[in-house]
Amino acid sequence: MGAPLAILNVVMGGEFTVRAFESELAEIRFGCGLSPVIAPATSVETMLAGITAPDTMAARFEIEPFDSFRARMVESDRLRRIQRDKRGKPEAKVARKDRNLLKKAARIDMVRWLGLSMLRRTYTETGFFERLVYFWGDHFSATGKAGLIRRATSPYIEDGIRPFVGGRYADLLISAVTHPVMLQYLDQDRSMGPDSARALKRGKAAGLNENLAREVMELHTLGVDGPYTQDDVRELAELFTGLSFQPKQGRKFRKDYVEPGAETVMGKTYADAYSMKPVRAVLEDLAVHPATARHLSWKLAVHFVSDTPDPALIDHVSARYLETDGDLMQVYAALLEHPAAWTQERANIKRPVDFVGSSMRALAVDPAAVIQLDERETRNLLLTPMVLMGQTWQKFSGPDGWPEEDEAWLSPQGLSGRVRWAMSGPQVLRPDLPDPREFVETALGSRASDEVTFAATAAESKSEAIGLVLMSPAFQRC
Amino acid sequence: MTDLSRRFFLTRSAVLGCSLAASPLLTPVTFAAAPWDTRLIVIILRGAMDGLDAVQPYGDPHYKGLRSSLAGGPLNGALDLDGFFSLHPALGPLLPMWQAGELGFAHAVSTPYRDKRSHFDGQDVLEAGTDTLQGGVRDGWLNRMLQEVPGVAADTAYAIGLGEMPVLKGKAAVANWAPDSSLALSPQAERLLAMISESDPAMHAALAEAALLSAADAPMMAGDMARDMQAVRKGNEHQKIAEFAAKRLRQDARVASFSLNGWDTHRAQQRGITAALGDLAETLVHLKQELTGPVWNKTAVVAMTEFGRTARENGTKGTDHGTGGLVVMAGGAIRGGKIYGDWPGLESSDLYEGRDLMPTRDVRAYAAWIMQAVTGLDISTLERVVFPGLDMGSNPGIVL
């Protein structure tokens, strides 16, 4: 009973005087859940320090960064050329076979990386960091559209998002928006200025694509209510021309795609440079815009605290964002030091990815049990159940990522998916299921209710008892 | 959910504990009888369908100049409909329906949403059925329709699929379900689940509904995770949804709504839209097949999207977010074989902001007239409550 409860009194710029850190809540709301083997965070300071500490989970459960994943795409391109050039010859046949093997390996790895992501949640000592990686990965939702790159979402997050989570928002924004996976997802890599050298050579079918430009303003920075117009979208699309990539070198700026002439975005004019310079400049400006500060502060508060967060919390985080030009560590500190972030009422429901991850953490699943699963077993055990819960791993319906509203996750069909997994998944992941009476304490800490404790003993089988604990509101809500 | 399902859940749970076989609630749940006869299916096409590619105005003198890789018309393999419009080849399986007068379209339609061209806002406006998002309307127009007609029960309307259907959200009781979603619980576990979730009304209600709908679904006993999940992966999602919808609509359900995705074709549209239109065609063919006999004759399907796409093809063989779009209508109850709406023309000066098909009628007017015919709701209720602020205009006479 009773997790360590620390109430600290700190004067915060005269605005308010109380902040209420509580280590159990820190793990449940801001981390990956309670664990029987990993000690909870002891203060806001340790939570923040975890973001910039050495990334032990990345080292222990390795996910290939995109920069290495590219080699697979290069090889696939080489094989495709052989298929084309040696059509009808035995070499082409071999190349086709090898290319299919490459595709299969990438497909298998994509599923394997799901297991590893869950193991990171199971064993991390810096749960807030893993949650932030997910949060920003979702904020910058992107997936390749055709070929091998369709499997590269985890690699994209690994080197495009994860290393930038504790830095300036501008750097995270630039990294994500110019990442090959994003460029392909939002069609930037083929967009060229109507009067660019390349378009003039190719004729009338060549031109702009405004997909990325629109989503950068609508989703990544200002927010849909932000002060931008269709003209700003168009100008930004023209400014973005040249952003592209090649498997061999990664990001590649194509001067011949650039629309000549200066562009004016949100009242500021950016001169041509035929380089990344104006792209960086406009993203730096968008990153520190007051509408961006507000949009991101709101989004963080909604994600971590409640669908309807205390406006004072958003004001506080947003003010810090503006004061520090989007220094994310300061932004997180502002979030965590505000009392409204520590309300006892647990408003949010866990998303399926958080539910499955925190279940595995509560069960202290042996890493070997996950690592040894083959592709089909991982699909049966993790991926397909999450589909039924409403969250298909890395296959969101749009660039706005997964819904934040609890309503979206509280559907009968989605909860049915949770129940089915809760009742039969754990025993596959951990054949020696823990004693349900102990598990109530491990999984729920001081939040174990009499009803759940009773259910854990009244269930007909151990697996049902464990499933009931996992389905309890105290576990589902954060 | 409603008090109704909560009560069902508690009653059923209590009964389950003692006598399984004796419970009348274990048979497909006894809801009220259907309030009317015509079936209404609303499909939301998420991602903004290019109406100009689905139903191509090849007879418009300016059409050809706007589209190059997306050149349509009968000379490019499309199916002529009326000498002016042609059907994208991927909708070919629907041609017999067109010929039988069971398939129609309304062109150049839109919601009142303009200019920012955000999918997410666009869909919110489409499903709220309002003029803007400012009014704070939280429910969907299909639900508000249900609130206005008598005799609606918990299984009158189904929102189907794993994603949300805001168009059906609201105060009126609606069943939310997806194929492959059956709970597989022992009676004891179900009873305990009801007990432990009681402190959380929202969760409790959703679980109650899950239990209820599972009972009405094909029974599935607690099983082997691996086998169950492999079964889930078999088959096409949209076909399973069509099958599920048809099954319920053959019984007491009268309204079903679900989504079809994949319309956001910024690049290489030919490939993307062929797949998406193929899904739509399969869905409609499947619905007709499954809604056997007289039921199909009493069915109206309406498929709508948040907005159309740019009239001009973009630089990447695709189209960007636009304004005027297309409604697809099908079913034996539809007066098809016809393209409704005033054609605005594709000359540069006729386009909205010089880039998009000009909307000439509010998409809500079509939905409103269809609902009027299906449920008999009066026009003023439709214009004030279901679609606040809408002027329905003259009756296009879509429903037979």
Side-chain angles (χ1 to χ4, degrees), chain A residues 189 218 384 413 416 420 477, chain B residues 118 161 180-181 200 233 267:
Chain A
D189 56 319
E218 177 182 330
T384 306
Q413 55 271 52
S416 180
R420 284 168 74 176
R477 298 254 178 200
Chain B
S118 153
D180 296 320
S181 281
D200 190 318
R233 288 200 295 278
R267 178 205 302 207

Side-chain angles (χ1 to χ4, degrees), chain A residues 101 166 307 396 448:
Chain A
L101 288 175
D307 284 4
F396 16 77

Side-chain angles (χ1 to χ4, degrees), chain A residues 210-227:
Chain A
E210 58 187 42
N211 202 8
L212 179 68
R214 180 185 309 283
E215 303 304 10
V216 162
M217 293 205 267
E218 177 182 330
L219 300 176
H220 303 155
T221 61
L222 307 170
V224 72
D225 298 323

Side-chain angles (χ1 to χ4, degrees), chain A residues 389-404:
Chain A
M389 297 176 207
Q391 194 175 25
T392 306
W393 178 244
Q394 294 177 346
K395 206 173 164 198
F396 16 77
S397 61
D400 58 335
W402 295 105
E404 291 289 351

